[in-house]
Amino acid sequence: MQLNLEFMKNTPVILVLDAGGTNLVFTAVQQGDIIGKPYVLSAESETLEIFLQKLIKGFEAVNSQSGNNAKAISFAFPGPADYKSGIIGDLENLPYFRGGVPLKKMLENHFKIPVFINNDGDLFTLGEALGGILPEINSFSEKQYKNLLGVTLGTGFGGGIVIDGKLLTGDNSASGEINRLSNILNRNQSVEEVLSRRGIKRLFAENAGISFEQAPEPFDLYNIATGIQPGNKQAAITAWDVFSEVLADAIANAVTLTDSNVVIGGGLSGAYPLFLQKTVNLLNGSFTTDDKQTSRMEVFAYNWHNPDCRNDFLKTNYSEIKVPFSNETIRWDNEKKITVAISKLGTSEAVALGAYHFAMENL
């Protein structure tokens, strides 16, 4: 790509990183668009020093693509962490991070520009809220929505919350940690033991009567369940059905607090034809109290990818109600609705866009 460097001198460039367990994907973002090509390095490293040198190398590479014009670095990184201070704690997937690593300060010392670090679920949700699924919903809807719950289904189960267009970070950099909800099937476990790659494999293994090590990968389990490839189809279908049940309970508990639309990303989200509609149906279930039925949530959920559901979600039901002691009337829609959708941008792209907007807001 031929870059207009004169134009770039007057436009902020933000260097971003999607730090996954397998790869480190570096990009330069300007005006919400990725410039140049992503620079990818393997996340696997023998020591902390080697890993940190990879971070510096990756950011240097994409900064060079942008004419060394970056105004900030903003990226997603695994927790636990004190994201505001940029200190990374003890990481399960990167065991050489121990005792607190001041990643933000190290990068600021090297690049001499501000550095912002956040959780990937947070930045995914922010990207979808500002440039992904939420603008798409609002482009069709008469009612305009400002809040979004994001969940990511992959190696683990992550989340983020955007309220009125702002990322909710919390007092301890721990907002949106939806993976800590308890598993409806086993309250001694977290939902992540089901809503993850290892979780769906374990569900299949249990239903197929095989060991976990013998279970196919999630992509294969999708193909087996849909009949694309041979295998224990019923065990695969049952596994995705149970997955839907646990996902619905987790989302319902979170939405009860956020009152928001929901976007789902991560590698397992590609299997949504197998779990999304059932998840939405379960969200619209009910509690039973003294032989009375009460809706599971105060809002009614719709599947954005089901045309009939989408049309129902977008319908308005306004009525004119009279103001007491006057001749006035007020227009009122008494239906409370949310929709559940799959990522519009793709998870990595949404994370990059969220990182860009977070930096622009805080520069």
Side-chain angles (χ1 to χ4, degrees), residues 73-290:
I73 291 172
S74 181
F75 64 100
F77 206 78
D82 177 352
Y83 288 114
K84 185 175 182 180
S85 299
I87 299 173
I88 307 303
D90 297 351
L91 302 186
E92 182 177 344
N93 294 332
L94 300 172
Y96 35 76
F97 275 82
R98 286 292 181 270
V101 179
L103 199 54
K104 169 183 168 73
K105 185 61 176 175
M106 182 203 78
L107 292 171
E108 288 180 338
N109 287 346
H110 184 87
F111 289 95
K112 311 301 182 186
I113 55 178
V115 174
F116 306 99
I117 307 176
N118 275 287
N119 176 277
D120 57 350
D122 290 338
L123 294 181
F124 163 74
T125 308
L126 185 62
E128 289 287 349
L130 298 181
I133 194 62
L134 203 56
E136 178 177 278
I137 292 169
N138 286 333
S139 71
F140 289 97
S141 175
E142 180 179 350
K143 179 178 179 179
Q144 296 296 283
Y145 295 89
K146 299 179 180 180
N147 307 316
L148 189 66
L149 169 70
V151 298
T152 54
L153 303 166
T155 304
F157 181 51
I161 300 169
V162 169
I163 301 296
D164 200 16
K166 303 290 185 181
L167 184 62
L168 184 64
T169 57
D171 289 329
N172 299 287
S173 299
S175 175
E177 294 294 339
I178 196 171
N179 64 305
R180 296 305 178 99
L181 293 175
S182 63
N183 175 3
I184 190 175
L185 304 180
N186 182 351
R187 293 301 186 186
N188 292 320
Q189 290 183 341
S190 76
V191 288
E192 193 169 75
E193 294 309 310
V194 173
L195 304 178
S196 59
R197 289 189 179 93
R198 68 183 182 277
I200 190 65
K201 289 176 66 176
R202 186 180 294 113
L203 289 173
F204 176 82
E206 291 171 354
N207 284 282
I210 60 175
S211 69
F212 175 82
E213 290 72 24
Q214 293 174 299
E217 291 302 313
F219 178 78
D220 298 309
L221 293 178
Y222 174 83
N223 287 338
I224 291 170
T226 55
I228 295 175
Q229 69 185 62
N232 190 330
K233 184 175 181 178
Q234 187 54 54
I237 291 173
T238 300
W240 286 110
D241 283 348
V242 174
F243 185 94
S244 304
E245 182 180 351
V246 176
L247 180 60
D249 187 65
I251 290 176
N253 287 332
V255 165
T256 297
L257 299 177
T258 63
D259 182 20
S260 64
N261 289 307
V262 181
V263 62
I264 301 174
L268 297 184
S269 65
Y272 79 88
L274 290 176
F275 67 78
L276 184 57
Q277 188 60 58
K278 180 167 184 178
T279 297
V280 170
N281 292 344
L282 290 169
L283 289 175
N284 296 323
S286 59
F287 293 124
T288 302
T289 305
D290 296 330

